[in-house]
Amino acid sequence: MSGVTRTPTHLTQGGATDAGIGASTLRPDGTLKVTGEFAYSSDLWHEDMLWGFTLRSTVAHAEIVSIDTSEALAQSGVYAVLTYDDLPTEVKNYGLEIQDTPVLAHGKVRHHGEPVALVAADHPETARRAAAKIKVEYAELPVVTDEASALAEGAPLVHENRDDHHISHVPHPNIVHRQPIVRGDAEAAARRADVIVTGEYVFGMQDQAFLGPESGLAVPAEDGGVDLYVATQWLHSDLRQIAPVLGLPEDKVRMTLSGVGGAFGGREDLSMQIHGCLLALRTGKPVKIVYNRFESFFGHVHRHPAKLWYEHGATKDGKLTHLKCRIVLDGGAYASASPAVVGNASSLSVGPYVVEDVDIEAIALYSNNPPCGAMRGFGAVQACFAYEAQMDKLAAKLGMDPVEFRQLNAMEQGTLLPTGQVVDSPAPVAELLRRVKAMPLPPENQWETTEGADVRALPGGLSNTTHGEDVVRGIGYAVGIKNVGFSEGFDDYSTARVRMEVVGGVPVATVHTAMAEVGQGGVTVHAQIARTELGVEQVTIHPADTRVGSAGSTSASRQTYVTGGAVKNTCEHVREQVLELGRRKFGTYHPAWATAELLLEGGKVVTDGGEVLADVADVLEDEAIDLELEWRHRPTEPFDLRTGQGNGHVQYSFAAHRAVVEVDTALGLVKVVELACAQDVGKALNPLSVVGQIQGGTTQGLGVAVMEEIIVDPKTAKVRNPSFTDYLIPTILDTPTIPVDVLELADEHAPYGLRGIGEAPTLSSTPAVLAAIRNATGLELNRTPVRPEHLTGT
């Protein structure tokens, strides 16, 4: 078969070796992306390819009475129509942890938009029109939409015959997973409290809203296998789920990462991968599938909506006495990452504070709402929204400054968490709060200039609805704690292959991992690590694929830690082999080869005193060093299912925010003027990328605070706003100034002392904005997002 065009290419990064760790090197793909020349997965093309399309359910819960595909098959240009009965093996389900998601619906549908049938045709419009001719008869069933309907006596079961490993410890089959955390005696501690505050909080369903919709190209191979080019977050997890459904060994499902237009958790689960491969193998032709934006809202999981009940107590001098909380996460129709989200929400529900007596319960429900799973922050976001509102309530009741109250109760290195785990790396919570509070405030009435009022700086912006008459300023603070890496005993490792050779008389390193570059900058950092460890100028980043061992998921703020650690580890072994080769070749000519500490710098072998012993090119000559090694961080362990005790997390990250908002109290409009952030990053491997990650996460938290929510009809469980017309995300006009103060306190357990950074700012930005709006209005505001009617009472 002829080749695929516009596939990802090797990224070669040149530059001085001082463009290593700690330098703000530019992204090698940056220019291509901003000029529109970068090849995303939706740009893939094959000269004889077909187009795939997915028919989705129009109802949320129903028996499938019949499916008639005859009209679709008769349409000119249609090559295949597949339903559940056409699946080639006995393996017909998939899933990240629990294999409860059908490749195509069988017997019933469990959520609005569930895949029912597939079409392959010679034109995308032909495929779409053919799918519209498939006749599906549904017999609708009662829907489960919330905790009350899920757990009521006689409630419909979303999954009638569960046999997963969580079923033995949940009190009802409509509960995916339950995790309690109990330490001390919260009831007794409550009796010692001088003040007690309670709150009920509602967190809306958020979409990842990545720019590039789900897409990929499946190409059947002559050996009976398939080559899949796809935008994903985790190549090897996809492979593990795809191959059994196709009835192929994993080595016949060859996966290559294509250009990814953002992810944020929404690409951890499969979307079009199996569907594209099935159609390609059935037709014998390459098949491309590209979702439109409407399909994308149904084609990936979302952030779990949550209801949270909290009770905190404190002494009159401001010390926290206890916490009781219950967190209910709606996981939707299929499990996805819900068990892990429950683990995070429960274990991080106290926040970055010292509380010795706790009684915590977190559950995730099965429902007929859209499936929910991974999204940036992963359970910790919902908890942070609630516990930070509680901190403000307590401070107000005690008459204390909200920042000082938080600092008084802040955890630090050595703190014993409610799970029994000791925080054994820096935890500068109080310092981050001090730093963010000390940042200069933006000027008052910033919309007034010498030239006149600038309506763009007012609530309502260019709609020109506000002229400052009813505008009130508010300031709010929040701080959060997020785990880094996979937790609870998961074997979290990564693999790196590094090759060092001489090309054109110059030593060159090639780094090959399966890390999904989704915009986080791993391709930049990996080159910086290779330059630092191998002393080379030229580094080539090989396209990510499954020909190298797993790199795990690009999620949980883990890739720089784990895959960066794998690259560092492999480079160190390559360096030792280069030096050993040099010792054998030149060791007899200079005693330093045997006695000195040797390094690779600037393409040369040097002593730790700076003496040059040889050119690396002369050491390697026609030889190449090529190693592939796995690297693991220190182990974690599962939380006890009764008490929640256990060393469940590998590392923690912390960020604090101060929000400044202006609210038109008459119209209910909000303008976020500034979202200042202070964050400890351990070590900024690329300071420019670090600030970009912090600002990006902060903006996502802003979105869920004031505008982002997927609306699901509570009676039908249908999604009401599956488009960027009705699902609003922040634009450049909504995004405030985001000054960032980066603190670097090294974690001695991590490579270079680094700390995962991508998720922590997503936690505290949301409650900081809510705190500022409360400060401006005096309203309680216990749900996200805040809407105009919440501010005006209309």
PDB file of all heavy atoms in Angstrom, residues 208-242:
ATOM      1  N   GLN A 208     -13.357  19.015  28.575  1.00  0.00           N
ATOM      2  CA  GLN A 208     -11.940  19.323  28.372  1.00  0.00           C
ATOM      3  C   GLN A 208     -11.751  20.400  27.311  1.00  0.00           C
ATOM      4  O   GLN A 208     -10.740  21.117  27.332  1.00  0.00           O
ATOM      5  CB  GLN A 208     -11.160  18.055  27.986  1.00  0.00           C
ATOM      6  CG  GLN A 208     -11.051  17.033  29.097  1.00  0.00           C
ATOM      7  CD  GLN A 208     -12.240  16.122  29.223  1.00  0.00           C
ATOM      8  OE1 GLN A 208     -13.257  16.314  28.552  1.00  0.00           O
ATOM      9  NE2 GLN A 208     -12.149  15.107  30.067  1.00  0.00           N
ATOM     10  N   ALA A 209     -12.679  20.490  26.371  1.00  0.00           N
ATOM     11  CA  ALA A 209     -12.699  21.572  25.374  1.00  0.00           C
ATOM     12  C   ALA A 209     -11.363  21.705  24.644  1.00  0.00           C
ATOM     13  O   ALA A 209     -10.888  22.814  24.402  1.00  0.00           O
ATOM     14  CB  ALA A 209     -13.090  22.898  26.037  1.00  0.00           C
ATOM     15  N   PHE A 210     -10.748  20.572  24.308  1.00  0.00           N
ATOM     16  CA  PHE A 210      -9.515  20.655  23.532  1.00  0.00           C
ATOM     17  C   PHE A 210      -9.840  21.129  22.111  1.00  0.00           C
ATOM     18  O   PHE A 210     -10.948  20.969  21.611  1.00  0.00           O
ATOM     19  CB  PHE A 210      -8.764  19.327  23.504  1.00  0.00           C
ATOM     20  CG  PHE A 210      -9.601  18.091  23.415  1.00  0.00           C
ATOM     21  CD1 PHE A 210     -10.318  17.802  22.269  1.00  0.00           C
ATOM     22  CD2 PHE A 210      -9.670  17.199  24.475  1.00  0.00           C
ATOM     23  CE1 PHE A 210     -11.082  16.653  22.170  1.00  0.00           C
ATOM     24  CE2 PHE A 210     -10.424  16.041  24.395  1.00  0.00           C
ATOM     25  CZ  PHE A 210     -11.134  15.770  23.234  1.00  0.00           C
ATOM     26  N   LEU A 211      -8.852  21.718  21.463  1.00  0.00           N
ATOM     27  CA  LEU A 211      -9.106  22.347  20.167  1.00  0.00           C
ATOM     28  C   LEU A 211      -9.231  21.336  19.040  1.00  0.00           C
ATOM     29  O   LEU A 211      -9.978  21.554  18.089  1.00  0.00           O
ATOM     30  CB  LEU A 211      -7.989  23.339  19.847  1.00  0.00           C
ATOM     31  CG  LEU A 211      -7.910  24.556  20.772  1.00  0.00           C
ATOM     32  CD1 LEU A 211      -6.774  25.468  20.344  1.00  0.00           C
ATOM     33  CD2 LEU A 211      -9.219  25.316  20.773  1.00  0.00           C
ATOM     34  N   GLY A 212      -8.480  20.234  19.105  1.00  0.00           N
ATOM     35  CA  GLY A 212      -8.512  19.251  18.028  1.00  0.00           C
ATOM     36  C   GLY A 212      -9.458  18.120  18.346  1.00  0.00           C
ATOM     37  O   GLY A 212      -9.237  17.368  19.293  1.00  0.00           O
ATOM     38  N   PRO A 213     -10.540  17.932  17.598  1.00  0.00           N
ATOM     39  CA  PRO A 213     -11.475  16.838  17.901  1.00  0.00           C
ATOM     40  C   PRO A 213     -10.833  15.480  17.669  1.00  0.00           C
ATOM     41  O   PRO A 213      -9.781  15.355  17.038  1.00  0.00           O
ATOM     42  CB  PRO A 213     -12.633  17.080  16.941  1.00  0.00           C
ATOM     43  CG  PRO A 213     -12.048  17.872  15.824  1.00  0.00           C
ATOM     44  CD  PRO A 213     -10.969  18.711  16.433  1.00  0.00           C
ATOM     45  N   GLU A 214     -11.487  14.439  18.157  1.00  0.00           N
ATOM     46  CA  GLU A 214     -10.978  13.075  18.029  1.00  0.00           C
ATOM     47  C   GLU A 214     -10.818  12.711  16.558  1.00  0.00           C
ATOM     48  O   GLU A 214     -11.706  12.963  15.745  1.00  0.00           O
ATOM     49  CB  GLU A 214     -11.928  12.082  18.705  1.00  0.00           C
ATOM     50  CG  GLU A 214     -12.006  12.222  20.206  1.00  0.00           C
ATOM     51  CD  GLU A 214     -12.908  13.311  20.705  1.00  0.00           C
ATOM     52  OE1 GLU A 214     -13.368  14.151  19.898  1.00  0.00           O
ATOM     53  OE2 GLU A 214     -13.169  13.347  21.909  1.00  0.00           O
ATOM     54  N   SER A 215      -9.698  12.102  16.217  1.00  0.00           N
ATOM     55  CA  SER A 215      -9.453  11.753  14.818  1.00  0.00           C
ATOM     56  C   SER A 215      -8.316  10.758  14.733  1.00  0.00           C
ATOM     57  O   SER A 215      -7.501  10.632  15.651  1.00  0.00           O
ATOM     58  CB  SER A 215      -9.118  13.010  13.999  1.00  0.00           C
ATOM     59  OG  SER A 215      -8.056  13.729  14.593  1.00  0.00           O
ATOM     60  N   GLY A 216      -8.264  10.065  13.605  1.00  0.00           N
ATOM     61  CA  GLY A 216      -7.189   9.116  13.375  1.00  0.00           C
ATOM     62  C   GLY A 216      -7.371   8.396  12.054  1.00  0.00           C
ATOM     63  O   GLY A 216      -8.412   8.517  11.390  1.00  0.00           O
ATOM     64  N   LEU A 217      -6.338   7.649  11.663  1.00  0.00           N
ATOM     65  CA  LEU A 217      -6.329   6.918  10.406  1.00  0.00           C
ATOM     66  C   LEU A 217      -5.847   5.503  10.656  1.00  0.00           C
ATOM     67  O   LEU A 217      -4.764   5.299  11.211  1.00  0.00           O
ATOM     68  CB  LEU A 217      -5.409   7.613   9.401  1.00  0.00           C
ATOM     69  CG  LEU A 217      -5.213   6.938   8.042  1.00  0.00           C
ATOM     70  CD1 LEU A 217      -6.515   6.926   7.256  1.00  0.00           C
ATOM     71  CD2 LEU A 217      -4.125   7.656   7.253  1.00  0.00           C
ATOM     72  N   ALA A 218      -6.676   4.519  10.290  1.00  0.00           N
ATOM     73  CA  ALA A 218      -6.326   3.106  10.422  1.00  0.00           C
ATOM     74  C   ALA A 218      -6.010   2.549   9.038  1.00  0.00           C
ATOM     75  O   ALA A 218      -6.806   2.704   8.106  1.00  0.00           O
ATOM     76  CB  ALA A 218      -7.474   2.326  11.057  1.00  0.00           C
ATOM     77  N   VAL A 219      -4.845   1.902   8.914  1.00  0.00           N
ATOM     78  CA  VAL A 219      -4.388   1.382   7.617  1.00  0.00           C
ATOM     79  C   VAL A 219      -4.170  -0.120   7.742  1.00  0.00           C
ATOM     80  O   VAL A 219      -3.304  -0.567   8.503  1.00  0.00           O
ATOM     81  CB  VAL A 219      -3.076   2.067   7.175  1.00  0.00           C
ATOM     82  CG1 VAL A 219      -2.658   1.557   5.792  1.00  0.00           C
ATOM     83  CG2 VAL A 219      -3.232   3.581   7.176  1.00  0.00           C
ATOM     84  N   PRO A 220      -4.938  -0.945   7.012  1.00  0.00           N
ATOM     85  CA  PRO A 220      -4.730  -2.392   7.085  1.00  0.00           C
ATOM     86  C   PRO A 220      -3.379  -2.756   6.476  1.00  0.00           C
ATOM     87  O   PRO A 220      -2.938  -2.150   5.489  1.00  0.00           O
ATOM     88  CB  PRO A 220      -5.891  -2.959   6.259  1.00  0.00           C
ATOM     89  CG  PRO A 220      -6.268  -1.855   5.322  1.00  0.00           C
ATOM     90  CD  PRO A 220      -5.998  -0.578   6.054  1.00  0.00           C
ATOM     91  N   ALA A 221      -2.718  -3.752   7.062  1.00  0.00           N
ATOM     92  CA  ALA A 221      -1.382  -4.142   6.619  1.00  0.00           C
ATOM     93  C   ALA A 221      -1.412  -5.498   5.936  1.00  0.00           C
ATOM     94  O   ALA A 221      -2.341  -6.298   6.119  1.00  0.00           O
ATOM     95  CB  ALA A 221      -0.429  -4.178   7.816  1.00  0.00           C
ATOM     96  N   GLU A 222      -0.366  -5.794   5.162  1.00  0.00           N
ATOM     97  CA  GLU A 222      -0.302  -7.040   4.410  1.00  0.00           C
ATOM     98  C   GLU A 222      -0.176  -8.264   5.308  1.00  0.00           C
ATOM     99  O   GLU A 222      -0.524  -9.368   4.894  1.00  0.00           O
ATOM    100  CB  GLU A 222       0.876  -6.976   3.433  1.00  0.00           C
ATOM    101  CG  GLU A 222       0.682  -5.947   2.330  1.00  0.00           C
ATOM    102  CD  GLU A 222       1.862  -5.873   1.390  1.00  0.00           C
ATOM    103  OE1 GLU A 222       2.864  -6.589   1.661  1.00  0.00           O
ATOM    104  OE2 GLU A 222       1.804  -5.125   0.397  1.00  0.00           O
ATOM    105  N   ASP A 223       0.299  -8.074   6.528  1.00  0.00           N
ATOM    106  CA  ASP A 223       0.443  -9.217   7.445  1.00  0.00           C
ATOM    107  C   ASP A 223      -0.835  -9.502   8.217  1.00  0.00           C
ATOM    108  O   ASP A 223      -0.846 -10.322   9.139  1.00  0.00           O
ATOM    109  CB  ASP A 223       1.602  -8.983   8.409  1.00  0.00           C
ATOM    110  CG  ASP A 223       1.362  -7.821   9.365  1.00  0.00           C
ATOM    111  OD1 ASP A 223       0.343  -7.107   9.222  1.00  0.00           O
ATOM    112  OD2 ASP A 223       2.213  -7.597  10.260  1.00  0.00           O
ATOM    113  N   GLY A 224      -1.930  -8.849   7.862  1.00  0.00           N
ATOM    114  CA  GLY A 224      -3.200  -9.048   8.559  1.00  0.00           C
ATOM    115  C   GLY A 224      -3.392  -8.141   9.745  1.00  0.00           C
ATOM    116  O   GLY A 224      -4.454  -8.162  10.373  1.00  0.00           O
ATOM    117  N   GLY A 225      -2.390  -7.342  10.050  1.00  0.00           N
ATOM    118  CA  GLY A 225      -2.487  -6.393  11.153  1.00  0.00           C
ATOM    119  C   GLY A 225      -2.996  -5.045  10.688  1.00  0.00           C
ATOM    120  O   GLY A 225      -3.558  -4.904   9.590  1.00  0.00           O
ATOM    121  N   VAL A 226      -2.781  -4.051  11.510  1.00  0.00           N
ATOM    122  CA  VAL A 226      -3.271  -2.709  11.198  1.00  0.00           C
ATOM    123  C   VAL A 226      -2.308  -1.691  11.790  1.00  0.00           C
ATOM    124  O   VAL A 226      -1.742  -1.907  12.870  1.00  0.00           O
ATOM    125  CB  VAL A 226      -4.705  -2.512  11.738  1.00  0.00           C
ATOM    126  CG1 VAL A 226      -4.733  -2.590  13.249  1.00  0.00           C
ATOM    127  CG2 VAL A 226      -5.306  -1.192  11.261  1.00  0.00           C
ATOM    128  N   ASP A 227      -2.101  -0.611  11.065  1.00  0.00           N
ATOM    129  CA  ASP A 227      -1.308   0.523  11.540  1.00  0.00           C
ATOM    130  C   ASP A 227      -2.277   1.653  11.863  1.00  0.00           C
ATOM    131  O   ASP A 227      -3.067   2.067  10.993  1.00  0.00           O
ATOM    132  CB  ASP A 227      -0.299   0.966  10.485  1.00  0.00           C
ATOM    133  CG  ASP A 227       0.751  -0.094  10.228  1.00  0.00           C
ATOM    134  OD1 ASP A 227       1.633  -0.247  11.087  1.00  0.00           O
ATOM    135  OD2 ASP A 227       0.667  -0.777   9.185  1.00  0.00           O
ATOM    136  N   LEU A 228      -2.206   2.144  13.093  1.00  0.00           N
ATOM    137  CA  LEU A 228      -3.136   3.177  13.539  1.00  0.00           C
ATOM    138  C   LEU A 228      -2.360   4.434  13.888  1.00  0.00           C
ATOM    139  O   LEU A 228      -1.452   4.414  14.723  1.00  0.00           O
ATOM    140  CB  LEU A 228      -3.931   2.685  14.751  1.00  0.00           C
ATOM    141  CG  LEU A 228      -4.931   3.684  15.354  1.00  0.00           C
ATOM    142  CD1 LEU A 228      -6.013   4.053  14.344  1.00  0.00           C
ATOM    143  CD2 LEU A 228      -5.563   3.115  16.624  1.00  0.00           C
ATOM    144  N   TYR A 229      -2.731   5.530  13.238  1.00  0.00           N
ATOM    145  CA  TYR A 229      -2.150   6.841  13.498  1.00  0.00           C
ATOM    146  C   TYR A 229      -3.231   7.650  14.204  1.00  0.00           C
ATOM    147  O   TYR A 229      -4.297   7.904  13.637  1.00  0.00           O
ATOM    148  CB  TYR A 229      -1.733   7.509  12.192  1.00  0.00           C
ATOM    149  CG  TYR A 229      -0.766   6.669  11.381  1.00  0.00           C
ATOM    150  CD1 TYR A 229      -1.229   5.661  10.532  1.00  0.00           C
ATOM    151  CD2 TYR A 229       0.604   6.878  11.471  1.00  0.00           C
ATOM    152  CE1 TYR A 229      -0.352   4.885   9.796  1.00  0.00           C
ATOM    153  CE2 TYR A 229       1.496   6.096  10.744  1.00  0.00           C
ATOM    154  CZ  TYR A 229       1.011   5.108   9.907  1.00  0.00           C
ATOM    155  OH  TYR A 229       1.889   4.335   9.188  1.00  0.00           O
ATOM    156  N   VAL A 230      -2.956   8.093  15.430  1.00  0.00           N
ATOM    157  CA  VAL A 230      -4.061   8.598  16.240  1.00  0.00           C
ATOM    158  C   VAL A 230      -3.573   9.631  17.245  1.00  0.00           C
ATOM    159  O   VAL A 230      -2.410   9.615  17.680  1.00  0.00           O
ATOM    160  CB  VAL A 230      -4.755   7.418  16.977  1.00  0.00           C
ATOM    161  CG1 VAL A 230      -3.837   6.818  18.018  1.00  0.00           C
ATOM    162  CG2 VAL A 230      -6.087   7.827  17.576  1.00  0.00           C
ATOM    163  N   ALA A 231      -4.469  10.529  17.607  1.00  0.00           N
ATOM    164  CA  ALA A 231      -4.227  11.473  18.698  1.00  0.00           C
ATOM    165  C   ALA A 231      -4.736  10.851  19.988  1.00  0.00           C
ATOM    166  O   ALA A 231      -5.924  10.563  20.119  1.00  0.00           O
ATOM    167  CB  ALA A 231      -4.947  12.798  18.430  1.00  0.00           C
ATOM    168  N   THR A 232      -3.847  10.640  20.935  1.00  0.00           N
ATOM    169  CA  THR A 232      -4.213   9.969  22.174  1.00  0.00           C
ATOM    170  C   THR A 232      -3.324  10.480  23.298  1.00  0.00           C
ATOM    171  O   THR A 232      -2.400  11.270  23.068  1.00  0.00           O
ATOM    172  CB  THR A 232      -4.066   8.441  22.030  1.00  0.00           C
ATOM    173  OG1 THR A 232      -4.470   7.804  23.243  1.00  0.00           O
ATOM    174  CG2 THR A 232      -2.623   8.056  21.722  1.00  0.00           C
ATOM    175  N   GLN A 233      -3.597  10.027  24.519  1.00  0.00           N
ATOM    176  CA  GLN A 233      -2.747  10.348  25.659  1.00  0.00           C
ATOM    177  C   GLN A 233      -1.913   9.166  26.126  1.00  0.00           C
ATOM    178  O   GLN A 233      -1.019   9.339  26.946  1.00  0.00           O
ATOM    179  CB  GLN A 233      -3.616  10.839  26.836  1.00  0.00           C
ATOM    180  CG  GLN A 233      -4.180  12.223  26.651  1.00  0.00           C
ATOM    181  CD  GLN A 233      -5.029  12.677  27.821  1.00  0.00           C
ATOM    182  OE1 GLN A 233      -6.227  12.847  27.669  1.00  0.00           O
ATOM    183  NE2 GLN A 233      -4.441  12.889  28.972  1.00  0.00           N
ATOM    184  N   TRP A 234      -2.222   7.948  25.619  1.00  0.00           N
ATOM    185  CA  TRP A 234      -1.575   6.777  26.201  1.00  0.00           C
ATOM    186  C   TRP A 234      -1.586   5.659  25.168  1.00  0.00           C
ATOM    187  O   TRP A 234      -2.517   4.863  25.101  1.00  0.00           O
ATOM    188  CB  TRP A 234      -2.334   6.376  27.468  1.00  0.00           C
ATOM    189  CG  TRP A 234      -1.673   5.373  28.333  1.00  0.00           C
ATOM    190  CD1 TRP A 234      -0.550   4.641  28.082  1.00  0.00           C
ATOM    191  CD2 TRP A 234      -2.106   4.972  29.639  1.00  0.00           C
ATOM    192  NE1 TRP A 234      -0.252   3.814  29.135  1.00  0.00           N
ATOM    193  CE2 TRP A 234      -1.191   3.995  30.108  1.00  0.00           C
ATOM    194  CE3 TRP A 234      -3.172   5.329  30.457  1.00  0.00           C
ATOM    195  CZ2 TRP A 234      -1.332   3.394  31.354  1.00  0.00           C
ATOM    196  CZ3 TRP A 234      -3.306   4.722  31.693  1.00  0.00           C
ATOM    197  CH2 TRP A 234      -2.386   3.775  32.134  1.00  0.00           C
ATOM    198  N   LEU A 235      -0.552   5.583  24.359  1.00  0.00           N
ATOM    199  CA  LEU A 235      -0.509   4.631  23.259  1.00  0.00           C
ATOM    200  C   LEU A 235      -0.654   3.192  23.729  1.00  0.00           C
ATOM    201  O   LEU A 235      -1.410   2.406  23.147  1.00  0.00           O
ATOM    202  CB  LEU A 235       0.807   4.799  22.495  1.00  0.00           C
ATOM    203  CG  LEU A 235       0.925   6.030  21.601  1.00  0.00           C
ATOM    204  CD1 LEU A 235       2.377   6.253  21.190  1.00  0.00           C
ATOM    205  CD2 LEU A 235       0.040   5.894  20.368  1.00  0.00           C
ATOM    206  N   HIS A 236       0.068   2.805  24.763  1.00  0.00           N
ATOM    207  CA  HIS A 236       0.073   1.395  25.163  1.00  0.00           C
ATOM    208  C   HIS A 236      -1.219   0.980  25.861  1.00  0.00           C
ATOM    209  O   HIS A 236      -1.619  -0.175  25.777  1.00  0.00           O
ATOM    210  CB  HIS A 236       1.294   1.095  26.037  1.00  0.00           C
ATOM    211  CG  HIS A 236       2.568   0.999  25.249  1.00  0.00           C
ATOM    212  ND1 HIS A 236       3.253   2.114  24.818  1.00  0.00           N
ATOM    213  CD2 HIS A 236       3.265  -0.078  24.787  1.00  0.00           C
ATOM    214  CE1 HIS A 236       4.324   1.734  24.141  1.00  0.00           C
ATOM    215  NE2 HIS A 236       4.349   0.422  24.102  1.00  0.00           N
ATOM    216  N   SER A 237      -1.873   1.898  26.540  1.00  0.00           N
ATOM    217  CA  SER A 237      -3.185   1.586  27.103  1.00  0.00           C
ATOM    218  C   SER A 237      -4.198   1.377  25.987  1.00  0.00           C
ATOM    219  O   SER A 237      -5.012   0.449  26.033  1.00  0.00           O
ATOM    220  CB  SER A 237      -3.652   2.705  28.036  1.00  0.00           C
ATOM    221  OG  SER A 237      -4.961   2.461  28.510  1.00  0.00           O
ATOM    222  N   ASP A 238      -4.143   2.241  24.976  1.00  0.00           N
ATOM    223  CA  ASP A 238      -5.006   2.033  23.806  1.00  0.00           C
ATOM    224  C   ASP A 238      -4.753   0.654  23.199  1.00  0.00           C
ATOM    225  O   ASP A 238      -5.689  -0.089  22.896  1.00  0.00           O
ATOM    226  CB  ASP A 238      -4.717   3.100  22.754  1.00  0.00           C
ATOM    227  CG  ASP A 238      -5.227   4.475  23.130  1.00  0.00           C
ATOM    228  OD1 ASP A 238      -5.713   4.648  24.262  1.00  0.00           O
ATOM    229  OD2 ASP A 238      -5.142   5.388  22.288  1.00  0.00           O
ATOM    230  N   LEU A 239      -3.478   0.323  23.016  1.00  0.00           N
ATOM    231  CA  LEU A 239      -3.107  -0.953  22.407  1.00  0.00           C
ATOM    232  C   LEU A 239      -3.663  -2.130  23.203  1.00  0.00           C
ATOM    233  O   LEU A 239      -4.211  -3.090  22.637  1.00  0.00           O
ATOM    234  CB  LEU A 239      -1.583  -1.042  22.312  1.00  0.00           C
ATOM    235  CG  LEU A 239      -0.981  -2.343  21.796  1.00  0.00           C
ATOM    236  CD1 LEU A 239      -1.436  -2.612  20.372  1.00  0.00           C
ATOM    237  CD2 LEU A 239       0.542  -2.292  21.886  1.00  0.00           C
ATOM    238  N   ARG A 240      -3.541  -2.041  24.529  1.00  0.00           N
ATOM    239  CA  ARG A 240      -4.016  -3.126  25.405  1.00  0.00           C
ATOM    240  C   ARG A 240      -5.519  -3.347  25.244  1.00  0.00           C
ATOM    241  O   ARG A 240      -6.003  -4.479  25.342  1.00  0.00           O
ATOM    242  CB  ARG A 240      -3.678  -2.775  26.855  1.00  0.00           C
ATOM    243  CG  ARG A 240      -4.267  -3.719  27.891  1.00  0.00           C
ATOM    244  CD  ARG A 240      -3.882  -3.291  29.307  1.00  0.00           C
ATOM    245  NE  ARG A 240      -4.263  -1.935  29.614  1.00  0.00           N
ATOM    246  CZ  ARG A 240      -5.490  -1.562  29.986  1.00  0.00           C
ATOM    247  NH1 ARG A 240      -6.457  -2.454  30.060  1.00  0.00           N
ATOM    248  NH2 ARG A 240      -5.743  -0.294  30.269  1.00  0.00           N
ATOM    249  N   GLN A 241      -6.273  -2.291  24.982  1.00  0.00           N
ATOM    250  CA  GLN A 241      -7.724  -2.405  24.838  1.00  0.00           C
ATOM    251  C   GLN A 241      -8.147  -2.750  23.409  1.00  0.00           C
ATOM    252  O   GLN A 241      -9.161  -3.424  23.194  1.00  0.00           O
ATOM    253  CB  GLN A 241      -8.386  -1.093  25.258  1.00  0.00           C
ATOM    254  CG  GLN A 241      -8.164  -0.719  26.719  1.00  0.00           C
ATOM    255  CD  GLN A 241      -8.659   0.686  27.025  1.00  0.00           C
ATOM    256  OE1 GLN A 241      -9.852   0.905  27.181  1.00  0.00           O
ATOM    257  NE2 GLN A 241      -7.749   1.643  27.090  1.00  0.00           N
ATOM    258  N   ILE A 242      -7.394  -2.288  22.424  1.00  0.00           N
ATOM    259  CA  ILE A 242      -7.777  -2.473  21.018  1.00  0.00           C
ATOM    260  C   ILE A 242      -7.540  -3.899  20.544  1.00  0.00           C
ATOM    261  O   ILE A 242      -8.414  -4.525  19.922  1.00  0.00           O
ATOM    262  CB  ILE A 242      -6.986  -1.487  20.121  1.00  0.00           C
ATOM    263  CG1 ILE A 242      -7.368  -0.043  20.428  1.00  0.00           C
ATOM    264  CG2 ILE A 242      -7.229  -1.793  18.644  1.00  0.00           C
ATOM    265  CD1 ILE A 242      -6.428   0.977  19.804  1.00  0.00           C
TER     266      ILE A 242
END
